[in-house]
Amino acid sequence: MYPIERYSTRSDRRSSTNADPVFSAFVFCCGLLAAGVAGYFLLGEVNVAVVVGGFAAGCLAMLSIHIAAQWERVVVLRFGHYSRTKGPGPYLTIPFIEHTALKADTRMMLTGFGAEQTLTSDLVPINVDAVLYWMVWDASKACMEVEDYYNAVSLVAQTALRDAIGRASVAEVARRRNQLDEELQEVIEGKTNPWGITILSVEIRDIVIPQALQDVMSTEAQAERERNARMVLAEAEKDISEMLEEAADAYDRSENAMRLRTMHLLYESVKSSGGTVVIPSAYSEGFADRLSDQPLESMVKPGKRG
């Protein structure tokens, strides 16, 4: 059994098994009591005949009156042929002539199924777990068209999953999960609809790829990302080189633009480093020459004496 199958709805489980015995016991007691009261009024006493008649009436009532839960649909056969579908609530059958063939649960059912070691189209064995949600919409078809619709739905789903995996590569199975869900639902619906069963949804739960293949795919993905990163970097360098070429042409046409650019770079370097830049100029050199030509006495003025 696949691990996912433990979540499936059990085919032998019915949600409320206490309702039928309790109701049957109640009907039996009512029939027994009614027959006993009627026999007492007719005969004036309670004897063995009244007790036997009461038991017979109780058994007859128990075989005739039944009850179905809100989610149950009951298929009734008469002489082995389909007669009607009853439920929910109480319903009547003719003892020994009619009998209940099936009590179908019309609530949503869950079936877990998987495909173990299934080969993809590129011959890679993978394990896939999926979940199927379905419900019975026609109890008569579910009774007459298929012997065990619980197991039939599970096997149909598993076969459809294996077939879908075999027609796709491992990369497509990993990438196209939603499309695969829709494809499986359509295929399973086509096979189970004649049984009175509708498929609500199919969901792939897990895809397990062999560890060796996972390492290879991881290496391939890393190489692909590195290639894309280098392509982006090359495109960025190309754009930058074109921009620098345009800027060089602009600086070549205008000397003032080149000077302004130089001053801007100098300002940015001083601003970031917090240092001081000393720039020689023609004015400072001329001022120094004048000071050197004058005698020292002319540059020093005597102060006034008091």
Side-chain angles (χ1 to χ4, degrees), residues 50-103:
V50 173
V51 174
V52 173
F55 272 97
C59 293
L60 187 63
M62 185 174 61
L63 295 175
S64 302
I65 305 174
H66 312 276
I67 191 171
Q70 179 67 35
W71 55 84
E72 291 179 336
R73 299 298 180 268
V74 181
V75 179
V76 179
L77 301 183
R78 178 181 297 173
F79 292 115
H81 297 278
Y82 172 75
S83 175
R84 61 192 180 278
T85 300
K86 305 296 291 184
Y91 63 96
L92 300 176
T93 59
I94 303 174
F96 311 111
I97 296 177
E98 296 178 341
H99 70 278
T100 299
L102 173 69
K103 282 190 175 182

Side-chain angles (χ1 to χ4, degrees), residues 13-73:
R13 180 177 62 192
R14 298 295 180 267
S15 297
S16 178
T17 57
N18 297 326
D20 289 344
V22 171
F23 184 77
S24 298
F26 172 75
V27 171
F28 176 80
C29 293
C30 290
L32 177 62
L33 181 61
V37 171
Y40 176 78
F41 280 105
L42 291 176
L43 301 178
E45 61 178 356
V46 178
N47 51 23
V48 177
V50 173
V51 174
V52 173
F55 272 97
C59 293
L60 187 63
M62 185 174 61
L63 295 175
S64 302
I65 305 174
H66 312 276
I67 191 171
Q70 179 67 35
W71 55 84
E72 291 179 336
R73 299 298 180 268

